[in-house]
Amino acid sequence: MNTEKKTGNGYFAVIDTETTWSNAVMSIGVAIAECSTFKLVEKKYYIISPEYKDGGMYSYVLMTKSVKLDLKSSRPKVIEHLVKVLQKYQIDSLFAYNASFDYNHLPELQSYKWFDIIKKAAYKQYNPKISENADCCGTGRLKRDFGVEPITRLLSGNRSYCEVHNAVCDAVDELRIIELLGYAIEDYGHAQINLEKKPRTIRPKEQRAVPKLPKPTKHVPEESEDIIEKRLIANCKFAIGDKIRHAQYGCGVVRKIEVMNEEILLLTVLYEAIGISLHLLPADEKDITLIND
């Protein structure tokens, strides 16, 4: 494990969002920390109006006695304030747990570098606290119990820890996971979810191999990746926002559907009891029941 924690700008931010039943962002929490020490230097909490009035699974903890609200306003004004805070610390790197969820819900911030804490925390090759006998995928990722709550309990040894599901409280807790893992910020390069695509390098003409022209054949257009993805998601029995019941975890809400390949879908579900959990379909489909209102 690399214990050096140097970086160019000196600060990074951890972001967490909470959403309404209709999947709109209703609150944003930000924890800003020093790269060299992971010390929390500032935190900000925003409630987005009028979206928050629609309610969500964790509306009951939008405001707690221990939380200071920095701004309740429209989404454009909240984002403007947040960007000014990031600029104050010259931050260009944002971290989140299951970062694709927050990244996709905050398109205004997609020009920043986004890193997924889960890429370290949930993989046995990076998290030394994960047992060799743990049930993991071929990639080394835990198949279950890799949300903020179980991972924090595993890393800290505090079995009584419970995730608050308030955006700023969760952002601070996710910063704690980074601290407990102990990796330098630079060691999260593989965890960046929005890497820039490198431009194609075209060789000079004199170095190019001249391809042989194939015999004319009837052209059959292939489906693009986007079309395949849309078709697979459209055929999924679940949709974003669906309320479901899991045989082990209880009730939850589908937050995201991703295509792993042409046979497997990844379902992100927010459970009342355990928080975020991921399921592979169709393998896990037998344990999940759709709740019809």
Side-chain angles (χ1 to χ4, degrees), residues 11-16 28-34 38-45 82 85-86 91 93-95 167-176 178:
Y11 299 95
F12 67 99
V14 180
I15 285 188
D16 186 79
I28 303 174
V30 184
I32 295 169
E34 294 178 348
F38 304 137
K39 177 184 176 183
L40 177 68
V41 295
E42 189 168 355
K43 56 185 178 180
K44 293 293 181 183
Y45 182 47
L82 171 54
V85 173
L86 297 176
I91 288 171
S93 297
L94 307 180
F95 286 70
V168 71
C169 294
D170 290 356
V172 172
D173 288 349
E174 290 159 19
L175 170 61
R176 175 66 172 155
I178 294 175

Side-chain angles (χ1 to χ4, degrees), residues 31-85:
I32 295 169
E34 294 178 348
C35 291
S36 58
T37 64
F38 304 137
K39 177 184 176 183
L40 177 68
V41 295
E42 189 168 355
K43 56 185 178 180
K44 293 293 181 183
Y45 182 47
Y46 306 98
I47 291 179
I48 298 177
S49 182
E51 285 82 349
Y52 82 96
K53 296 177 183 178
D54 291 341
M57 183 176 290
Y58 299 112
S59 290
Y60 68 96
V61 286
L62 267 176
M63 285 305 303
T64 67
K65 291 182 180 179
S66 61
V67 170
K68 171 183 172 286
L69 177 63
D70 292 285
L71 179 65
K72 180 194 288 185
S73 190
S74 66
R75 179 169 179 140
K77 289 183 178 179
V78 163
I79 294 297
E80 181 183 5
H81 190 281
L82 171 54
V83 168
K84 286 181 179 178
V85 173

Side-chain angles (χ1 to χ4, degrees), residues 205-216:
K205 286 184 178 180
E206 61 271 14
Q207 293 182 14
R208 291 185 204 166
V210 179
K212 293 181 180 180
L213 294 175
K215 293 180 180 180

Side-chain angles (χ1 to χ4, degrees), residues 79-144:
I79 294 297
E80 181 183 5
H81 190 281
L82 171 54
V83 168
K84 286 181 179 178
V85 173
L86 297 176
Q87 289 174 341
K88 171 184 173 183
Y89 289 94
Q90 298 182 359
I91 288 171
D92 64 2
S93 297
L94 307 180
F95 286 70
Y97 206 89
N98 191 26
S100 59
F101 178 82
D102 305 278
Y103 175 82
N104 289 326
H105 279 82
L106 297 171
E108 302 95 329
L109 302 180
Q110 288 181 0
S111 61
Y112 290 84
K113 298 175 185 176
W114 281 77
F115 299 86
D116 196 344
I117 303 167
I118 219 170
K119 296 290 186 180
K120 288 284 192 193
Y123 287 74
K124 66 180 180 181
Q125 60 265 45
Y126 298 116
N127 186 343
K129 293 286 187 176
I130 297 175
S131 166
E132 282 296 322
N133 299 322
D135 193 10
C136 296
C137 302
T139 59
R141 196 208 73 206
L142 286 167
K143 287 186 177 180
R144 60 185 63 85

